Amino acid sequence: MSSALETAQSLIDSLKLTQRGFLARLNAEASAARKAGNEALASELTLKSIQLSWQNLALHRARQKLLLATDLPALTQRLGAVVADANRAAADIGSAAELLGRAARLVELLRRLLDVFA
Amino acid sequence: MTRPRPHPGRAALALLVLGAGCAAPEVGPDIAAGRALLGAIATGTGPALDRRAAAEFRAAEDALIRAGQPVIELQGECDPFSDPPAATLRSDCRLHSLVPRPSATDARSTRDFLAMLDSYLAALDGLARSASVDEARRQADALVAAFGQPSAARPAAFEEIAQAVRARRALIVEGSGFVLDQVRIMALRRAVRAAAQAVTDGLPVAAAYLETLDPRLETAFEAHLRARSELEEARLAGDPRRYRAAVDALRARTEALAAAQAASPAVQLRAFGEVHARLVRSLRHPGGLPRIVALLEQLRRLRDAIP
């Protein structure tokens, strides 16, 4: 992803984060106003919270568009290298066990030979 | 000559430090949870992703065709009458696509990324459950056993080695298992560390693409927001029938939003990200107590085996 896209994305992310905090506060204040019997304020705050959610949806859509510009195949390639390395390590461990087995068979053969000629 | 035994407290501390650094965390459940989530995503979105990938590929070919650019080329031997070698029964004639690899995200790259995530978890699973470490212990035991019982009839040089090996049986067997176990844990840590960034960066991208295939969550959210607005307006309007309908509508929309969230592949991918983050954390820090205890016992056997 280009640095311009990255900047735009992090800007949207920080906006969303701010909105999230603001939204939580609006909802809490609306609930408190309702409990206190101040219906007019509660209603106003609720409508503001809904308005903010619509803006948040627009921000979400913009962020999704930016994300789709990411070079996903490059990330897949990086994961592929990790998979190859992990599989190689598993195979190496298997080879070590096999090598020990071969050494055991070789020593057994050698000892039997010695026993025959003893 | 007798070697001085280390101070018990110091030895225990050394074992504890060594154990904490090398302990294999319990990663099996996280890997299994990740694979289950991926399976659910593949079942839910696989067919749609395949259809979209085919359509996008055809569109990319169409664009090349419109521009008069090459689209495919033949590779291999395509003339069956060109006297192929006797061993070759059929020619290896095949088509190679010249459609360039996309540099952004599309259906194919999303499908490939999800498939690679599954391969990644399978590789981790292979390392975490590798039976090779136990097999190495068995083979090391067989190696010691291969030297047989002491016999005066054999050459002294052989018996000298055999005696030394028999005397270190526990060290050889446990040492082989221990070393390979550490190789396994290190490989597991290395793999998760190396993949962490690509997984963290790729998951929201794949989620964003899957959302384009399945906009139900967005639609449900929009309907929910509209129902909330209507509830406030209906209440203020003082019309009981309208208010009643708005209450019922918001109840229904809230249920629909919850259902859409549960079914959303994007939400499932976020859950996958959480599981992976837990895996990264558990491999960064020492594992669970049972594993540390097991490792300490392993270390104790090793130390006791040293003559």
Side-chain angles (χ1 to χ4, degrees), chain A residues 1 9 23 27 34 38-40 42-58 60-61 63-112 114-115 117-118, chain B residues 101-106 109-114 116-117 119-124 126-127 130 132-133 135-137 139-140 142-149 151 153-155 158 176 180 183-184 187 190-192 194-195 197-199 201-209 211-212 218 221-223 225-226 228-229 232-233 235-236 266 270:
Chain A
M1 198 189 283
Q9 198 176 309
L23 205 60
N27 288 333
R34 190 154 286 141
N38 192 346
E39 275 304 323
S43 188
E44 195 189 329
L45 290 172
T46 304
L47 288 172
K48 281 210 183 312
S49 142
I50 295 167
Q51 206 176 4
L52 200 63
S53 282
W54 279 111
Q55 285 174 8
N56 211 22
L57 183 61
H60 171 75
R61 284 179 178 144
R63 185 176 180 267
Q64 299 296 82
K65 270 193 190 140
L66 287 176
L67 279 171
L68 293 180
T70 306
D71 188 353
L72 194 57
L75 296 175
T76 305
Q77 218 168 358
R78 267 164 56 192
L79 266 183
V82 173
V83 170
D85 186 53
N87 286 338
R88 219 172 8 249
D92 285 348
I93 296 169
S95 302
E98 198 187 314
L99 211 66
L100 278 168
R102 269 193 230 165
R105 286 194 291 279
L106 191 72
V107 170
E108 170 103 20
L109 192 71
L110 185 67
R111 180 179 56 77
R112 284 181 183 203
L114 289 173
D115 287 348
F117 290 111
Chain B
R101 186 183 77 106
S103 60
T105 303
D106 62 3
S109 59
T110 304
R111 192 180 55 185
D112 291 351
F113 178 75
L114 293 177
M116 188 57 82
L117 275 184
S119 303
Y120 163 64
L121 288 184
L124 292 187
L127 273 173
S130 173
S132 302
V133 176
E135 179 60 17
R137 277 197 189 89
Q139 295 300 347
L143 177 63
V144 177
F147 283 90
Q149 296 301 314
S151 166
R154 288 187 208 122
F158 181 89
S176 306
L180 287 184
V183 170
R184 179 165 70 138
R190 193 173 59 233
V192 172
Q197 198 58 50
V199 172
D201 290 350
L203 284 177
V205 180
Y209 190 82
E211 260 187 24
T212 67
E218 264 194 44
F221 183 55
E222 282 177 343
L225 283 179
R226 275 194 291 271
R228 282 178 64 192
S229 297
E232 285 305 310
E233 284 162 19
R235 194 176 58 79
L236 292 172
R270 273 206 294 279

Side-chain angles (χ1 to χ4, degrees), chain B residues 162-196:
Chain B
Q163 183 50 39
V165 170
R166 280 185 217 108
R168 289 167 180 78
R169 182 179 208 121
L171 178 67
I172 291 168
V173 173
E174 289 304 317
S176 306
F178 181 80
V179 167
L180 287 184
D181 216 15
Q182 293 317 302
V183 170
R184 179 165 70 138
I185 295 163
M186 270 160 41
L188 209 52
R189 284 202 166 117
R190 193 173 59 233
V192 172
R193 209 171 20 233

Side-chain angles (χ1 to χ4, degrees), chain B residues 13-202:
Chain B
L13 187 66
L15 283 172
L16 196 66
V17 168
L18 191 55
C22 304
E26 299 295 344
V27 292
D30 283 340
I31 294 173
R35 292 196 88 178
L37 277 168
L38 269 188
I41 291 165
T43 309
T45 61
L49 211 49
D50 285 347
R51 275 196 303 277
R52 181 76 77 90
E56 282 174 354
F57 183 72
R58 200 162 174 81
E61 278 194 343
D62 286 347
L64 288 177
I65 287 167
R66 277 196 301 274
Q69 297 289 316
V71 173
I72 45 174
E73 70 175 8
L74 282 168
Q75 288 185 345
E77 182 55 67
C78 290
D79 182 351
F81 304 114
S82 66
D83 289 333
T88 314
L89 293 176
R90 290 199 319 177
S91 67
D92 62 345
C93 183
R94 61 194 181 278
L95 275 177
H96 174 69
S97 171
L98 297 174
V99 172
R101 186 183 77 106
S103 60
T105 303
D106 62 3
R108 191 172 143 206
S109 59
T110 304
R111 192 180 55 185
D112 291 351
F113 178 75
L114 293 177
M116 188 57 82
L117 275 184
D118 196 44
S119 303
Y120 163 64
L121 288 184
L124 292 187
D125 208 26
L127 273 173
R129 292 174 195 262
S130 173
S132 302
V133 176
D134 292 331
E135 179 60 17
R137 277 197 189 89
R138 271 195 296 278
Q139 295 300 347
D141 195 52
L143 177 63
V144 177
F147 283 90
Q149 296 301 314
S151 166
R154 288 187 208 122
F158 181 89
E159 271 309 297
E160 203 176 308
I161 297 170
Q163 183 50 39
V165 170
R166 280 185 217 108
R168 289 167 180 78
R169 182 179 208 121
L171 178 67
I172 291 168
V173 173
E174 289 304 317
S176 306
F178 181 80
V179 167
L180 287 184
D181 216 15
Q182 293 317 302
V183 170
R184 179 165 70 138
I185 295 163
M186 270 160 41
L188 209 52
R189 284 202 166 117
R190 193 173 59 233
V192 172
R193 209 171 20 233
Q197 198 58 50
V199 172
T200 308
D201 290 350

